[in-house]
Amino acid sequence: MMNDPTKNIAKDLITEPGINHNVESKLSWYQKALERNEIAPESGGKIAYFCAEFGLDPKLPIYTGGLGILAGDHLKSAAELGLPLIGIGILYRHKAFEQKLTPAGVQEERYNEIIKEQLPLTEIRGVDNSLLIGEAPLGERSLKFKIWRYPVGVNSLYLLDVDIPENPQEFREITSRIYPGDKTLRLQQEILLGIGGMRALRLLKIEPNVIHINEGHALFSIFEKARQNMAPAELSFSASLERLQPSVIFTTHTPTPAGNEVFDPVELRKALGKYVESFGILWESWLDYGRVNQGDSSEWFSMTCAALRVADKSNAVSALHGQTSRGMWRMLWPEIPEDKVPIDSVTNGVHVGTWMAPQIKALITNTDQSRRPDEIAVESIVEENAQAIQSIPNENLWNTHQSLKSELLEEVARRSGVNFDHTALTIGFARRFTTYKRGALIFSDMNRLSKILRNQKRPAQILIAGKAHPMDQDGKALIREIVEKSRDERLMGRVLFLENYNMNLAMALVAGCDIWLNNPRRPEEASGTSGMKAGLNGCLNFSVLDGWWAEAYDKNIGWKIGSGENHDKSLEEDSRDSQEIYDTLENEILPLFFKRDQNGLPADWLERMKRSIALTTERFSSRRMVCEYAERFYLPAIKSRK
Ligand SMILES: *Cc1c(COP(=O)(O)O)cnc(C)c1O
């Protein structure tokens, strides 16, 4: 027997940067509900949060993009709010790849191993001090794993690791890399995450009251929990699953049908046939959970479809994405009108402690001298004192922004040898290179762009960063095209592609740029979170009305592209949008940026920066997001299981 390893961690041992435990908890009602036994006391009201990637710490790059960063921010805010939420993920052997570009702009990938000794990771051991070893089914064999704990404040992230001598060599390779192109490996990873993850909780003696699967990769955890509950409750598999349902929450992140993962039933049967036999149901009936047309044996198994079926509450990640998802999945509920399809939405948010530059935080906390420094959390100041940001003196905000911008441009100079203009309007564009994000849109008319960037009175410049998935040839071609265009003599010195977009580079860009550009094809951006990070730092958004921006946009905090119409992927529409980008830059953004008052400050611009900081801190923080999940989903789920 071992104790719950999350229990005895003293707060003074907590070392992670950016986590503030002295926040007057917004979730005190949750703690009180626990104390009043409104929540089953033996449970502790624990929430198990499963995700295939976590972007918590730049030194632990087991994330490839927005989904992982979101999961990391979710864990951080939950820990700050005192919510007993446990993360479950995979410790891959290699870091997500480092991107190198050849002189011709060809992306090359470098894979380095994660050096565990340099991280606050501890292996979980049992009472006799031997490693706890779990197993997940793989065909006739079993995949063994050990468990690492990574502390997140008072909470934990548990990471499964199959690279152990108990496994044959080929099994040790399964989690070598995150999101492998090979479907078999991918399935094996998802079996580990879901089934292994749920078994790991049992080994850790953690009995979750809520299971939150963040994206469909961890779907199998739900089947495993239902299986575990069958014998003690003397229930059939389907009755057990039905009884579990009120505790299951599923968040979908994928607004395009192609993005939703499906598996070939033949492959699935090889890996899980024997395991599913233990449910006492027919193989075909199990497959039906993942089939839109149940009984159609030609249909592949969709992880999203099955997750929507087994979850009590499903949600998308912005209001618009909710609408898109209800339309996409309405065929699962043919008897009800589309707006009643049970897919709700909780708009994403970002962790202010991580993504707001310390210098901006200091400006805000300085406005509230009545608090002891250890009580200071930017979010509570902004929530309780709407004037906090308005009362920052213009000069202080401008000087702070200029110094963050200088830091960024000095870093750019160190990396590239190119000296950028510290007075020019600096536009940031950083995101994954995938077709729908239209990374090359701003280069549609090179002459016009050159004229805008090289305007002597009102110069501008563009910094670009982002990776393409190693298998995505179109994404890689986009990077080549952009690198080539940035070297065109018309743009030379005004546009630069920065290699290896990651959390650190993201932080430097969102804090140091003036404008954050985003031009996806609506509605393919489920939420987008980099724009929120920019907004927190007073970098103003200029974006298509997609994802979060469709609900955040206001002409007093930023600019829009288009009028909120969905795209149909036509060339005319690309040309229309690029013209609009040039027009808005020339006629609105640049004149406003260069308009100075009698003190030499861009007062109107600074007004927008302040509103942007206030709005994103209040409405698009992961603290607000986690509170919403807790109030709308977690607590009702726990109560319903009493
Ligand atoms: C925030 C972040 C993302 C996600 O941003 P999007 O706006 O969704 O593209 C991706 N990668 C990194 C490194 C980030 O910090």
Side-chain angles (χ1 to χ4, degrees):
M1 291 282 292
M2 66 172 288
N3 291 324
D4 175 353
T6 58
K7 231 175 216 159
N8 300 318
I9 298 149
K11 283 195 176 174
D12 56 4
L13 292 179
I14 293 159
T15 52
E16 310 90 273
I19 294 197
N20 187 334
H21 288 279
N22 297 316
V23 188
E24 169 68 17
S25 175
K26 252 195 108 178
L27 285 178
S28 49
W29 55 264
Y30 187 95
Q31 301 301 342
K32 286 185 193 126
L34 278 172
E35 283 158 23
R36 286 198 302 264
N37 281 353
E38 282 173 29
I39 299 172
E42 72 282 2
S43 67
K46 288 210 166 80
I47 301 138
Y49 181 89
F50 286 79
C51 193
E53 53 173 313
F54 284 92
L56 264 173
D57 177 344
K59 292 195 288 302
L60 180 62
I62 50 170
Y63 66 90
T64 65
L67 179 69
I69 309 265
L70 180 83
D73 285 359
H74 196 108
L75 295 194
K76 289 176 189 172
S77 285
E80 283 179 351
L81 290 161
L83 192 70
L85 182 135
I86 297 138
I88 298 109
I90 292 176
L91 187 63
Y92 302 94
R93 173 155 18 111
H94 292 95
K95 300 175 183 176
F97 74 86
E98 276 167 38
Q99 176 194 53
K100 286 271 168 205
L101 297 183
T102 68
V106 177
Q107 170 176 297
E108 290 180 344
E109 296 98 26
R110 309 244 165 112
Y111 291 90
N112 296 312
E113 291 201 9
I114 290 172
I115 304 172
K116 301 181 183 88
E117 293 70 29
Q118 295 173 352
L119 293 160
L121 282 166
T122 41
E123 290 167 314
I124 304 293
R125 295 176 178 275
V127 266
D128 61 355
N129 209 35
S130 64
L131 282 179
L132 276 190
I133 301 287
E135 45 188 276
L138 270 193
E140 301 287 319
R141 301 160 78 185
S142 66
L143 174 64
K144 309 272 198 322
F145 60 84
K146 66 178 175 183
I147 309 163
W148 296 89
R149 173 178 183 273
Y150 182 96
V152 187
V154 285
N155 290 339
S156 301
L157 167 62
Y158 292 106
L159 295 168
L160 275 45
D161 183 356
V162 300
D163 190 12
I164 51 176
E166 286 81 352
N167 278 326
Q169 192 55 39
E170 80 260 30
F171 281 10
R172 298 179 68 161
E173 301 295 329
I174 288 174
T175 56
S176 173
R177 290 177 186 177
I178 188 167
Y179 299 139
D182 181 284
K183 284 291 272 188
T184 307
L185 276 180
R186 210 129 157 169
L187 175 61
Q188 291 170 336
Q189 289 192 354
E190 294 181 21
I191 289 170
L192 173 70
L193 175 65
I195 304 174
M198 194 50 85
R199 290 182 180 178
L201 289 178
R202 180 145 277 195
L203 286 171
L204 293 161
K205 308 252 181 294
I206 296 171
E207 191 56 44
N209 289 77
V210 179
I211 306 164
H212 184 172
I213 50 177
N214 193 39
E215 196 48 292
H217 309 112
L219 165 75
F220 301 137
S221 61
I222 310 302
F223 293 116
E224 170 61 13
K225 189 70 193 162
R227 189 198 63 82
Q228 289 179 4
N229 292 346
M230 281 167 69
E234 296 182 23
L235 290 172
S236 69
F237 178 75
S238 63
S240 178
L241 190 60
E242 200 171 306
R243 197 194 226 183
L244 180 63
Q245 189 162 32
S247 12
V248 179
I249 291 150
F250 166 56
T251 303
T252 175
H253 292 261
T254 331
T256 54
N260 285 279
E261 192 160 42
V262 288
F263 286 111
D264 178 353
V266 176
E267 285 296 316
L268 272 175
R269 189 159 201 171
K270 275 189 226 154
L272 288 174
K274 180 155 175 271
Y275 170 71
V276 169
E277 257 170 45
S278 72
F279 299 176
I281 61 170
L282 291 173
W283 174 248
E284 287 293 324
S285 349
W286 182 71
L287 283 181
D288 272 349
Y289 286 107
R291 282 176 172 154
V292 174
N293 297 307
Q294 300 189 314
D296 175 357
S297 60
S298 67
E299 196 180 320
W300 283 25
F301 183 97
S302 155
M303 299 294 271
T304 311
C305 169
L308 288 168
R309 284 215 165 95
V310 300
D312 185 47
K313 299 265 183 1
S314 295
N315 72 283
V317 292
S318 69
L320 175 62
H321 179 224
Q323 208 180 312
T324 309
S325 302
R326 286 188 289 276
M328 234 173 97
W329 294 104
R330 66 150 310 160
M331 70 285 197
L332 295 182
W333 292 274
E335 70 288 358
I336 53 178
E338 183 169 317
D339 62 340
K340 296 285 185 315
V341 165
I343 305 178
D344 212 325
S345 67
V346 176
T347 303
N348 283 345
V350 293
H351 184 246
V352 176
T354 302
W355 296 107
M356 183 184 273
Q359 296 89 323
I360 302 276
K361 272 183 224 157
L363 287 177
I364 297 171
T365 50
N366 280 343
T367 63
D368 194 343
Q369 302 293 354
S370 65
R371 294 170 190 245
R372 291 206 320 272
D374 64 357
E375 287 173 343
I376 283 174
V378 169
E379 288 123 304
S380 5
I381 293 178
V382 173
E383 275 159 18
E384 288 154 29
N385 173 8
Q387 285 306 303
I389 292 169
Q390 278 311 318
S391 60
I392 299 171
N394 271 354
E395 191 179 355
N396 295 7
L397 180 56
W398 187 241
N399 290 342
T400 301
H401 176 67
Q402 281 300 117
S403 88
L404 289 164
K405 186 166 169 178
S406 295
E407 270 180 37
L408 168 67
L409 296 179
E410 279 155 24
E411 169 65 19
V412 167
R414 263 195 302 279
R415 283 176 169 226
S416 65
V418 184
N419 285 311
F420 274 80
D421 182 348
H422 291 224
T423 63
L425 177 91
T426 303
I427 302 167
F429 182 97
R431 52 204 74 252
R432 179 165 284 280
F433 283 96
T434 167
T435 323
Y436 83 83
K437 296 200 187 227
R438 298 190 296 179
L441 191 66
I442 198 167
F443 302 105
S444 308
D445 182 342
M446 293 287 282
N447 289 331
R448 181 139 186 224
L449 179 63
S450 162
K451 199 171 132 246
I452 293 171
L453 301 183
R454 294 191 178 284
N455 181 318
Q456 297 279 330
K457 265 174 49 203
R458 304 201 288 239
Q461 57 203 5
I462 309 177
L463 297 173
I464 302 177
K467 295 173 175 175
H469 188 278
M471 310 285 285
D472 180 3
Q473 296 312 324
D474 294 339
K476 288 182 159 183
L478 259 175
I479 294 177
R480 270 201 314 279
E481 180 186 341
I482 293 167
V483 169
E484 213 169 89
K485 296 222 153 119
S486 72
R487 303 236 176 84
D488 186 292
E489 59 180 19
R490 287 168 289 182
L491 303 185
M492 191 83 101
R494 297 259 143 219
V495 178
L496 189 73
F497 193 106
L498 296 160
E499 283 174 327
N500 202 31
Y501 184 45
N502 59 19
M503 284 177 79
N504 288 330
L505 182 56
M507 185 66 235
L509 284 167
V510 294
C513 288
D514 302 300
I515 283 284
W516 198 250
L517 176 68
N518 190 19
N519 44 235
R521 288 203 173 101
R522 189 183 198 252
E524 296 195 41
E525 182 99 302
S527 164
T529 51
S530 61
M532 300 173 187
K533 300 169 194 165
L536 278 184
N537 290 287
C539 170
L540 302 183
N541 279 277
F542 178 25
S543 168
V544 168
L545 293 170
D546 199 4
W548 80 288
W549 193 236
E551 60 202 85
Y553 168 73
D554 175 309
K555 67 176 175 8
N556 294 312
I557 61 160
W559 291 268
K560 63 184 167 66
I561 302 165
S563 318
E565 61 285 357
N566 282 348
H567 286 84
D568 59 14
K569 308 191 178 173
S570 65
L571 289 175
E572 294 79 58
E573 142 197 289
D574 287 352
S575 146
R576 184 199 65 211
D577 285 356
S578 62
Q579 292 308 319
E580 188 179 338
I581 291 173
Y582 302 137
D583 290 344
T584 307
L585 277 172
E586 257 178 346
N587 303 329
E588 297 180 36
I589 297 177
L590 282 153
L592 194 81
F593 182 78
F594 283 101
K595 187 175 144 206
R596 301 295 148 105
D597 66 6
Q598 66 277 18
N599 303 315
L601 296 169
D604 294 343
W605 189 273
L606 285 159
E607 279 305 304
R608 279 178 170 71
M609 286 178 69
K610 289 180 186 175
R611 285 196 211 101
S612 163
I613 296 170
L615 175 99
T616 27
T617 306
E618 205 177 336
R619 280 185 44 206
F620 298 98
S621 69
S622 50
R623 170 179 152 114
R624 185 273 310 150
M625 172 183 77
V626 170
C627 286
E628 253 191 79
Y629 276 106
E631 284 174 34
R632 290 171 53 196
F633 300 157
Y634 300 158
L635 192 60
I638 290 167
K639 283 184 171 169
S640 75
R641 280 192 73 195
K642 243 183 97 174

